[in-house]
């Protein structure tokens, strides 16, 4: 149990609330990492355990993310010996926004969890104004993520690695 200001809340529920309040989860980062690894494999497949090793994460979490990417037609899987996950499209045809949209739910920004006071002029007016600002910020994020493909990102990853090795 975790202590909150007003009552005791089970730890996992408290963490979920904390994550919801934080907005963007790490699902996008995991998805993009997995897509970059699959692109690096150049047509070959990887198991969720291999991807999880690179992430230093749990294969179950990785499979959940890969399942969402499969539902969005970004990856496909084969079962059995020699099976694994592969890209369903060329890396140049997958944007970071594609990955983000496949795994993230809801809005990044949201209003207060409880409606503010209608007796206060700030409380009465801030919600609609924040909605406009938040929508604008989310559109900017989507546009930025849409500019970079998995191929672009992989190229930068490899260049960074080569630069690091030369120093």
């Amino acid at each position: 149990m975790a202590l909150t200001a007003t009552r005791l809340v089970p730890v996992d529920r408290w963490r979920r609330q904390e994550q919801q309040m934080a907005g963007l989860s790490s699902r996008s980062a995991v998805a993009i990492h997995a897509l970059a690894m699959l692109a690096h494999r150049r047509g070959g497949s990887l198991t969720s355990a291999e991807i999880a090793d690179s992430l230093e994460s749990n294969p179950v979490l990785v499979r959940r993310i890969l399942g969402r990417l499969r539902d969005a037609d970004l990856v496909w899987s084969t079962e059995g010996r020699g099976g694994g996950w592969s890209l369903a499209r060329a890396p140049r045809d997958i944007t970071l926004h594609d990955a983000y949209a496949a795994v993230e739910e809801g809005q990044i920004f949201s209003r207060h969890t409880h409606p503010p006071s209608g007796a206060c002029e700030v409380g009465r007016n801030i919600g609609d104004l924040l909605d406009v600002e938040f929508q604008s910020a989310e559109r900017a994020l989507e546009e930025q993520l849409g500019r970079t493909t998995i191929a672009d990102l992989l190229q930068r990853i490899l260049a960074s690695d080569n630069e690091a090795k030369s120093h």
Side-chain angles (χ1 to χ4, degrees), residues 17-84:
Q17 289 172 343
E18 189 176 62
Q19 288 170 343
Q20 288 170 346
M21 288 174 26
L24 196 60
S25 73
S26 63
R27 288 185 299 264
S28 292
V30 170
I32 292 166
H33 187 126
L35 291 168
M37 286 189 68
L38 293 171
H40 189 251
R41 186 49 68 110
R42 292 192 173 98
S45 64
L46 292 170
T47 66
S48 55
E50 290 170 315
I51 296 168
D53 282 346
S54 177
L55 285 157
E56 294 191 359
S57 184
N58 186 313
V60 173
L61 166 74
V62 172
R63 278 192 293 276
R64 284 187 195 132
I65 298 295
L66 289 167
R68 288 180 177 208
L69 294 173
R70 181 185 52 220
D71 293 345
D73 297 322
L74 300 176
V75 300
W76 55 276
S77 62
T78 54
E79 294 183 19
R81 188 175 183 155

Side-chain angles (χ1 to χ4, degrees), residues 2-141:
L3 185 62
T4 66
T6 56
R7 65 186 185 283
L8 292 175
V9 178
V11 172
D12 24 328
R13 186 168 143 220
W14 175 73
R15 284 192 184 121
R16 276 195 311 270
Q17 289 172 343
E18 189 176 62
Q19 288 170 343
Q20 288 170 346
M21 288 174 26
L24 196 60
S25 73
S26 63
R27 288 185 299 264
S28 292
V30 170
I32 292 166
H33 187 126
L35 291 168
M37 286 189 68
L38 293 171
H40 189 251
R41 186 49 68 110
R42 292 192 173 98
S45 64
L46 292 170
T47 66
S48 55
E50 290 170 315
I51 296 168
D53 282 346
S54 177
L55 285 157
E56 294 191 359
S57 184
N58 186 313
V60 173
L61 166 74
V62 172
R63 278 192 293 276
R64 284 187 195 132
I65 298 295
L66 289 167
R68 288 180 177 208
L69 294 173
R70 181 185 52 220
D71 293 345
D73 297 322
L74 300 176
V75 300
W76 55 276
S77 62
T78 54
E79 294 183 19
R81 188 175 183 155
W85 297 87
S86 302
L87 292 179
R89 298 189 225 162
R92 70 179 176 276
D93 296 330
I94 302 172
T95 67
L96 301 187
H97 181 262
D98 293 330
Y100 163 81
V103 300
E104 296 297 342
E105 298 170 352
Q107 299 173 318
I108 297 169
F109 302 106
S110 59
R111 289 185 182 203
H112 305 297
T113 53
H114 301 288
S117 171
C120 168
E121 60 189 345
V122 172
R124 275 192 310 272
N125 296 292
I126 196 165
D128 292 338
L129 297 171
L130 279 179
D131 286 346
V132 170
E133 294 299 318
F134 290 168
Q135 288 169 3
S136 177
E138 288 184 20
R139 275 192 305 277
L141 172 69

